[in-house]
Amino acid sequence: LNPGKIEFLHGTTTLAFKFQHGVIVAVDSRATAGSYIASQTVKKVIEINPYLLGTMAGGAADCSFWERLLARQCRVYELRNKERISVAAASKLLANMVYQYKGMGLSMGTMVCGWDKTGPGLYYVDSEGNRVCGDLFAVGSGSMYAYGIVDSGLKQKDLTVEEACDLGRRAIYQATYRDAYSGGQVNLYHVHSEGWTRVSQSDVLMLHQQYQAEKA
Amino acid sequence: MEYLIGIQGQDFVLVAADNIAANSIIQMKQDQDKMFKLSDKILLLCVGEAGDTVQFAEYIQKNIQLYKMRNGYELSPKAAANFTRKNLADYLRSRTPYHVNLLLAGFDETDGPGLYYMDHLSALAKAPFAAHGYGAYLTLSILDRYYRPDLTRDEAVDLLKKCIEELNKRFILNLPSFSVRLIDKEGIHDLEKLMPVGAK
């Protein structure tokens, strides 16, 4: 425990928020090793199953490994109970799995997003043992910048799917603008009652040109 | 950063907890419930390290319920508090101690209301009023000054409000809302959330 030290999660910006028509999930795609950019094309959204998504922040290996294990557990649940697993249960499975390794150096900050019979679901789970349900989360070194955009954008009531996608995309773009450890492309997903859809992949530099032109 | 408070009256216990779930300098959730219902008349308020809080509280919660199933009757608040403390103590010198601070509040048919203070070093003390967190430094003196054993429900709520107003005024962190519950012989009652407005 170190109350004085602010620990940023490793280079990344991921966000997810609930709105009237489901959940928007937006992530960047940069991977850094210290100050070296290792990759600009990392897939930070893990497709657990056709109606559940997981985001990746922290150690890439930790996230993909544990979420893949989660996908397996979700499938086993489906086979045993003859019904889809709820977002709450899926996130609890993940939280309990990583809690066993608390203090041993796992680094994972993920959002479990989906749609189950209670409607849209969004949970934040991390390697510290946190598990919280909420309407909006941003995770990673660029998260604070993203919060600023989404919090102010969500104040306007009732977004359409298009508006919500734009908001998510814009928030990641703004975060990559300010955070050196985030960048690459913005990958955007929309989770609705039928499952998830991959909405778009936009290069951050192209978005920059587009937004600059709009300003003029 | 988190705050818990409990005040015992003649025939009730009043408890409150803040609603912020924080991660570093960010508020991740503004409506987090930090109270865990152990039984119809026992509440466990739990703050501390991420993960440990929920895992430990749910572990105690399930074990209390298991005891009821196995034996046909519930543990009294005093027994539940001692059970909780024993678990904390057992894990204290293991590789994985639970870093949690607790308040256990309950109503017993024979003993009446009870408030038990427990901390991460496995201390246990029955107290007429108690608080956890940095906020405790600011509010314990208020409780010392104005507490009386024969407080009515309304007077206890007023005392609670005094404490929360002091936090709102002097505590560096913004704690915008607090869940409040009251336990008496009828059980657990949810009271209105307290949301202090502006500094005086």
Side-chain angles (χ1 to χ4, degrees):
Chain A
L1 269 180
N2 207 334
K5 194 174 163 197
I6 299 175
E7 304 235 10
F8 290 105
L9 271 174
H10 305 263
T12 240
T13 312
T14 59
L15 66 84
F17 61 88
K18 283 192 210 170
F19 72 118
Q20 204 189 11
H21 303 287
V23 191
I24 294 291
V25 183
V27 301
D28 78 314
S29 67
R30 179 174 288 184
T32 46
S35 56
Y36 172 67
I37 297 176
S39 167
Q40 294 268 60
T41 54
V42 178
K43 294 284 176 282
K44 298 189 187 182
V45 175
I46 292 145
E47 296 158 7
I48 296 171
N49 62 41
Y51 57 94
L52 270 182
L53 290 175
T55 60
M56 189 199 292
D62 286 337
C63 290
S64 19
F65 177 82
W66 290 105
E67 290 187 23
R68 200 141 186 263
L69 208 51
L70 176 65
R72 181 177 161 276
Q73 279 306 112
C74 290
R75 178 68 183 136
V76 169
Y77 179 99
E78 252 177 41
L79 289 168
R80 284 180 177 155
N81 300 282
K82 282 192 180 174
E83 82 171 0
R84 283 181 180 179
I85 190 171
S86 66
V87 188
S91 60
K92 191 85 179 173
L93 280 175
L94 182 62
N96 287 337
M97 278 195 277
V98 296
Y99 184 70
Q100 308 264 329
Y101 294 87
K102 188 173 157 81
M104 297 186 200
L106 283 186
S107 171
M108 183 196 81
T110 185
M111 291 174 288
V112 181
C113 329
W115 190 295
D116 58 35
K117 57 184 181 212
T118 60
L122 176 55
Y123 282 82
Y124 166 75
V125 178
D126 72 18
S127 44
E128 295 292 297
N130 276 314
R131 174 179 168 269
V132 252
C133 175
D135 292 340
L136 160 64
F137 293 112
V139 184
S141 54
S143 63
M144 280 163 283
Y145 306 112
Y147 269 121
I149 298 294
V150 188
D151 276 333
S152 49
L154 279 182
K155 281 214 168 103
Q156 292 118 22
K157 303 262 169 168
D158 291 349
L159 298 169
T160 63
V161 178
E162 173 105 29
E163 285 169 342
C165 289
D166 284 342
L167 185 63
R169 202 175 294 121
R170 189 75 194 231
I172 296 288
Y173 160 76
Q174 293 294 152
T176 60
Y177 186 72
R178 284 288 179 180
D179 179 28
Y181 297 100
S182 300
Q185 298 110 40
V186 182
N187 283 307
L188 198 75
Y189 287 72
H190 173 215
V191 187
H192 45 81
S193 52
E194 317 290 304
W196 56 258
T197 321
R198 181 127 187 259
V199 174
S200 68
Q201 178 183 68
S202 339
D203 188 292
V204 152
L205 297 169
M206 302 295 279
L207 284 177
H208 178 74
Q209 306 288 22
Q210 184 194 318
Y211 293 136
Q212 288 294 93
E214 278 169 20
K215 248 191 180 174
Chain B
M1 317 295 187
E2 302 177 283
Y3 181 70
L4 299 178
I5 182 174
I7 303 174
Q8 181 192 322
Q10 283 246 282
D11 57 351
F12 67 91
V13 191
L14 182 69
V15 287
D18 76 287
N19 290 327
I20 301 294
N23 200 338
S24 168
I25 59 168
I26 297 286
Q27 293 179 10
M28 298 219 85
K29 197 168 151 79
Q30 286 91 353
D31 56 356
Q32 177 84 318
D33 190 2
K34 303 182 189 184
M35 304 194 199
F36 295 83
K37 190 174 155 185
L38 297 189
S39 77
D40 289 332
K41 293 182 188 156
I42 308 180
L43 273 178
L44 182 69
L45 283 71
C46 187
V47 292
E49 197 171 318
D52 285 355
T53 47
V54 175
Q55 293 281 356
F56 182 73
E58 284 187 357
Y59 174 70
I60 298 295
Q61 194 181 46
K62 305 313 169 198
N63 271 292
I64 302 285
Q65 286 163 5
L66 181 61
Y67 185 95
K68 184 182 174 185
M69 281 181 227
R70 279 186 175 153
N71 301 286
Y73 62 91
E74 290 184 333
L75 278 172
S76 67
K78 183 176 170 181
N82 278 286
F83 170 75
T84 307
R85 189 214 73 88
K86 183 77 168 70
N87 267 291
L88 270 175
D90 287 340
Y91 279 97
L92 183 61
R93 289 186 170 88
S94 72
R95 284 186 313 106
T96 56
Y98 287 106
H99 201 276
V100 292
N101 292 314
L102 312 160
L103 286 181
L104 190 143
F107 191 93
D108 191 25
E109 300 291 325
T110 30
D111 297 331
L115 177 66
Y116 296 87
Y117 170 100
M118 276 172 276
D119 72 6
H120 65 279
L121 296 171
S122 185
L124 169 67
K126 186 173 191 302
F129 56 84
H132 274 299
Y134 286 120
Y137 288 98
L138 292 164
T139 52
L140 277 171
S141 53
I142 299 177
L143 291 165
D144 282 328
R145 167 73 179 84
Y146 294 106
Y147 175 81
R148 288 180 344 264
D150 60 350
L151 285 172
T152 64
R153 283 162 174 67
D154 288 332
E155 285 170 343
V157 173
D158 285 337
L159 182 52
L160 177 63
K161 280 185 181 161
K162 263 204 179 71
C163 291
I164 288 175
E165 273 160 20
E166 180 62 15
L167 286 184
N168 197 38
K169 183 168 187 223
R170 288 288 183 188
F171 191 38
I172 198 178
L173 291 190
N174 177 36
L175 294 173
S177 92
F178 296 82
S179 294
V180 187
R181 292 200 166 92
L182 185 128
I183 314 180
D184 61 15
K185 68 172 173 14
E186 253 93 68
I188 301 172
H189 310 279
D190 289 353
L191 299 183
E192 224 178 56
K193 269 196 184 166
L194 282 178
M195 292 189 245
V197 197
K200 289 214 189 100

